[in-house]
Amino acid sequence: MTAPLTPPPPPHEQSAHQQWPPSADGGTYKGAAYGAHGGQGQDGPGMKTEVREAAVITVALALGGVLLGVAWNWLAPRVPLVGDVVDGRWVVYVRDTEGEQAAGVDGTFTLLALAFGVLTGAVVFLLRRRGGVPVVVALGLGGLLGSLLAWRVGVWLGPAQDVLAHAKEVGRGVAFSAPLKLAAKGALLTWSIGALLVHLGLTALFGPRDPEPHPYPQEPALH
């Protein structure tokens, strides 16, 4: 046997400084440009700024509960009570046993809280269009705190809590208003739910969209 006269071709070695093929805009792709975030730079103001903004939103919504409490005390229907003396003792009873004023008190709070939720959800979206988890948490927590504060403010501004003393003050058989009472405690969640639904809906419809990630370039075929 005789050895072949022509040696086999050497293996193809890719140059260490070879770059990716040029892109459509004339640039070149470089592997270092694609990190853990898929080549996209960090968007948004940063987590610390988002947390600060969320804290401001929570405090603002909580303080807004004062306005809700004032509006509830002003618009809620009054439940008429009457005092009387039976066997030498003062008793207080509802004047109109078939009235729906008590349900109207809860309904007024619920409708006002829903209006506050819609308003605050829309305002927060206009001021913070990017949304984010901290903003969502702030809307839920702030709405709940605002509702709790509104409940206590409305009760404090409303008629006197000591109905017996009030009945003795106005006299026997004279009607007076019962203190505000929120029987349906679930109404305290109305503000939070309304704000979250409005904000998430507006974010889904009109919020900024993330740019489509640029596909990774293909390495040219070796010949």
Side-chain angles (χ1 to χ4, degrees):
M1 294 180 61
T2 59
L5 300 178
T6 305
H12 178 77
E13 294 182 0
Q14 185 178 3
S15 174
H17 61 274
Q18 182 178 358
Q19 295 180 340
W20 298 103
S23 62
D25 56 358
T28 58
Y29 298 107
K30 295 184 179 181
Y34 290 85
H37 300 285
Q40 301 296 330
Q42 184 179 5
D43 295 333
M47 182 55 67
K48 291 184 178 180
T49 303
E50 290 184 1
V51 172
R52 285 196 298 267
E53 292 176 349
V56 172
I57 293 172
T58 303
V59 174
L61 266 63
L63 295 179
V66 176
L67 297 178
L68 176 57
V70 172
W72 180 45
N73 174 65
W74 180 39
L75 297 175
R78 295 294 189 250
V79 179
L81 302 178
V82 174
D84 199 358
V85 179
V86 179
D87 296 333
R89 300 178 57 185
W90 277 90
V91 295
V92 177
Y93 56 90
V94 179
R95 182 177 183 179
D96 185 7
T97 57
E98 297 182 357
E100 298 180 354
Q101 292 89 346
V105 173
D106 293 346
T108 301
F109 186 94
T110 302
L111 292 177
L112 288 173
L114 181 61
F116 272 67
V118 171
L119 178 61
T120 53
V123 170
V124 169
F125 170 75
L126 293 177
L127 297 178
R128 184 70 168 78
R129 287 181 173 270
R130 294 196 60 84
V133 175
V135 174
V136 174
V137 174
L139 284 173
L141 180 60
L144 178 59
L145 294 177
S147 297
L148 291 172
L149 182 59
W151 174 33
R152 302 316 304 169
V153 168
V155 171
W156 177 65
L157 293 177
Q161 297 294 305
D162 191 345
V163 293
L164 282 178
H166 199 176
K168 295 176 182 179
E169 180 182 353
V170 299
R172 180 178 180 179
V174 179
F176 61 96
S177 297
L180 285 181
K181 180 181 179 181
L182 187 63
K185 297 302 188 293
L188 297 173
L189 300 175
T190 305
W191 187 343
S192 300
I193 294 174
L196 289 173
L197 290 178
V198 170
H199 184 268
L200 293 177
L202 291 176
T203 302
L205 293 175
F206 307 108
R209 298 291 188 269
D210 293 333
E212 293 293 335
H214 207 294
Y216 285 94
Q218 298 293 331
E219 185 178 358
L222 302 180
H223 298 288

